[in-house]
Amino acid sequence: MNSFRKLISTVCLCMAFMAGAQAPVVSFRISESPSDKPFSLAVRPVGNNDPNASVTMAAPDNQGLYTSPMIASPYDLYTVYVYNTEVPFQSQTTAYIPAARLDADAPVDLSIAKDGLIKVNLGDAANKDIAACTEAYTDFSRSIGEWSVKSDSAQLLSRLRAYEVVVDSVLKADPAPAIVEQYLRLSAYSGASDAYRMVMHLRQRAGLTTPVNSSDFLPAANTILDNDLAASFPSTPVNVGRSLRGTLPEKLTALRELYTNKTIIDKVTDDLVSNYVTSYKPAEGLQPGLDMLADLQSRFGISSKWAEQLKRSVVTLPGALFPEDVTLIDVEGNPVPFSSFHGKWIYIDLWASWCGPCVQQIPYLKELEKTLADAPVNFVSISIDSSRDAWLKKVKDLELHGNQLLDASGNLARILNVSGIPHFLLYDPQGKLYRYKVTRPSQPETLELLKSLK
């Protein structure tokens, strides 16, 4: 969590006070952990869709207490993030903290096991049940590679049904409040669905089919996912979308026939339309896609932003020029025209200082540039950081040299329709796009590709 996020969280809480809301002040204590180094904590209220609702807790005081005002959850459920960039360590859990408990003098006790599992020790059935289910689901995930390929259909069904079996067993032994039971059943659905997709992937990679269907062990999606709490799960739009059949218009029609929750309908609609736009092949002509989106806007009220995004996709086609309305600056703050790299092939690394996977690729990128020092290739790193200071600090810390540029306009990723970084592109010596998605520096294919360029 950077200082900007802390500032936003503070502003958000101040606005709550100004509006007359009472932001509870909560304390946490880590009573047991695998490291003697101090951890950082952040808390997010489950069910609050405001991107600024996550609050970074103040550093622990001399009594080891993490104390901060916190935005209350409508379900009394909170996602607690525990991390340490030095170890490194990052984990999370869900805590059930009733409203009456939020302002209590006693801190909420956390314990962290060596395997990273976090337990909330309030001595109540709800948090014990959450911990028991989380531990079981984690064990299932860790062992999936061992049983997914070797199991027959009966064994696969038994494994995939185990998520629901665990919930039933845990709740029977120690009943929890209704909202916690609902949360655990949604977690079981999400976990089993994710496990099924992983099973299919592992079996396909091994040349095997998957002899079971999701309907063999999961209830109908609309019977469990049609509510506000389900909307707080990131996997819900994907799971609902996968349960719908037919063309995109048919899926959107079925969505509105089967579901009543507006948040679910809106999120799934956006997810389905986004998949359509990002997978569209603009080389086949934009007009059919634009006609489809116009029809969907008329029938289902989808946003006009999708048509605009599709129109922008032409920049991803081979032969497209680098966007003109983008300002690139070097570490000295001087503007650098993209044309200055013409004459050689241009391998672009689109990254940011806060992106872990981006930083992981940098040693490979350095080695790649060293190996191809005499090749007709310009290596250009373009950061999409919103903070120039954060970018410059990372450039210094990582001892980066060569063509280090910042997208000062802040528009490059949007214009290029890049939804995730790191993202690598290749332009030809005339500055025209040759390949929109290139393999990462860590992949052997990248060296072979760049060595082949003349």
Side-chain angles (χ1 to χ4, degrees), residues 36 111 162 197 201 204 207 219 226 245 265 401 428 430 442:
D36 58 356
S111 60
R197 289 197 288 272
H201 169 72
Q204 182 181 31
D226 192 18
R245 298 290 179 265
I265 292 172
H401 302 289
D428 69 16
Q430 288 73 48
S442 59

Side-chain angles (χ1 to χ4, degrees), residues 225-283:
L225 300 180
D226 192 18
N227 54 78
D228 285 333
L229 185 55
S232 68
F233 282 71
S235 61
T236 291
V238 175
N239 287 330
V240 172
R242 285 177 179 273
S243 70
L244 304 172
R245 298 290 179 265
T247 63
L248 178 57
E250 289 170 340
K251 288 180 179 180
L252 295 180
T253 299
L255 175 65
R256 284 153 177 76
E257 291 174 348
L258 295 170
Y259 291 81
T260 59
N261 186 277
K262 185 180 185 304
T263 303
I264 294 292
I265 292 172
D266 290 345
K267 284 190 172 187
V268 176
T269 297
D270 268 6
D271 197 57
L272 290 173
V273 178
S274 175
N275 290 338
Y276 173 79
V277 171
T278 55
S279 62
Y280 192 82
K281 307 296 184 186

Side-chain angles (χ1 to χ4, degrees), residues 147-159 203 211-212:
W147 55 263
S148 60
V149 174
K150 298 178 181 178
S151 300
D152 58 24
S153 58
Q155 292 169 326
L156 284 175
L157 274 179
S158 177
R159 291 280 189 176
R203 291 179 71 88
V212 298

Side-chain angles (χ1 to χ4, degrees), residues 4 6 15 48 71 99 128 147 385:
F4 179 72
K6 290 181 181 178
M15 290 176 66
N48 189 319
I71 298 173
K128 288 179 182 177
W147 55 263
D385 273 279

